Amino acid sequence: MEKIDKIPLSDKTYDKIIEYFQSLSLQEGDSIPSENEFSKLLGVSRVVVRDALKKLRDEKVIVTFKGKGSFIANPENFEFKSSVNLSYENFVKIMRFRQVLECEAIKDVAKTIKDHEVSTLVALLEKMRSLRSKHEISLVDFEFHYQIVKYSNNEYFIKAFLDAKDDIIACFSLMNDLSGSESWSINVHEKLVNYLKNHDYKNALKILKTNEEYNFARIFDLLKGE
């Protein structure tokens, strides 16, 4: 008679975490609880949770940005083919520069944005949605974010953003080259437009920050590995 197999506790924890993701309908880019939080939720040790999360990372279900947490990933992203030659270190520097600049601009834009400016952003969003060329999408992506900076009416922000145009487009191209990245990207841009339209700068800033941390996590896995 064969012995009954015992299911490792880490496997049970893995299953429970998957159920947790499904119950909340978590989507790509959403942050997930920390090891400590899962440990309390599930009543198991952090070591067990760590093993379960490692399995999820190995399967590309989640990605982790050190010091910032873990996020729901898109396994399709890792079928990666790109002609963009960019180191992870430079990617981070450029994207941090862009985010600092855009976040400062958004503080003003969210207060003063006009209906025709919202319409311009919506039109660019629709253009991105209709395009199939990754390069063209990246160019429109830059134009979308440039318009936000432009609406701040701060000539120094505008000049700095334009001076970094080629570098920013290179970063956007790298992200847009990720397989299956289109729907998530459109969703983020759509939320940003809605927050600006409603003069909600706090959520506009929040989505840019979460977006940046998720991008750092998935690009790290691609360019540097674990």
Side-chain angles (χ1 to χ4, degrees), residues 123-141:
L124 289 168
L125 176 59
E126 290 307 311
K127 189 172 182 179
M128 275 191 280
R129 202 192 302 271
S130 67
L131 291 171
R132 292 295 174 264
S133 164
K134 300 283 190 178
H135 177 66
E136 289 180 357
I137 290 172
S138 298
L139 294 178
V140 178
D141 200 351

Side-chain angles (χ1 to χ4, degrees), residues 10-53:
S10 61
D11 287 353
K12 292 180 181 178
T13 302
Y14 167 93
D15 290 338
K16 286 294 183 183
I17 293 175
I18 291 290
E19 287 177 16
Y20 173 85
F21 293 164
Q22 293 171 343
S23 69
L24 295 181
S25 299
L26 295 183
Q27 298 178 342
E28 181 180 359
D30 288 344
S31 60
I32 67 170
S34 65
E35 285 182 7
N36 191 46
E37 289 168 330
F38 269 131
S39 177
K40 291 177 181 177
L41 280 170
L42 300 174
V44 295
S45 72
R46 288 183 64 178
V47 173
V48 171
V49 171
R50 190 173 300 127
D51 286 344
L53 293 179

Side-chain angles (χ1 to χ4, degrees), residues 26-82:
L26 295 183
Q27 298 178 342
E28 181 180 359
D30 288 344
S31 60
I32 67 170
S34 65
E35 285 182 7
N36 191 46
E37 289 168 330
F38 269 131
S39 177
K40 291 177 181 177
L41 280 170
L42 300 174
V44 295
S45 72
R46 288 183 64 178
V47 173
V48 171
V49 171
R50 190 173 300 127
D51 286 344
L53 293 179
K54 182 181 184 306
K55 183 176 179 182
L56 289 166
R57 273 193 295 274
D58 289 344
E59 294 175 354
K60 307 305 181 188
V61 174
I62 64 171
V63 288
T64 299
F65 182 37
K66 191 174 181 180
K68 297 296 183 180
S70 296
F71 306 84
I72 300 295
N74 179 353
E76 284 184 54
N77 284 177
F78 298 89
E79 298 168 12
F80 182 61
K81 293 180 182 178
S82 179

Side-chain angles (χ1 to χ4, degrees), residues 136-176:
E136 289 180 357
I137 290 172
S138 298
L139 294 178
V140 178
D141 200 351
F142 174 85
E143 185 64 24
F144 177 95
H145 292 280
Y146 169 66
Q147 289 298 324
I148 291 175
V149 173
K150 186 178 174 182
Y151 296 156
S152 71
N153 295 314
N154 185 316
E155 62 270 30
Y156 296 102
F157 288 175
I158 296 167
K159 183 180 184 303
F161 204 80
L162 283 176
D163 285 347
K165 179 177 180 178
D166 290 345
D167 290 329
I168 294 172
I169 289 174
C171 290
F172 287 171
S173 295
L174 184 61
M175 293 185 290
N176 288 325

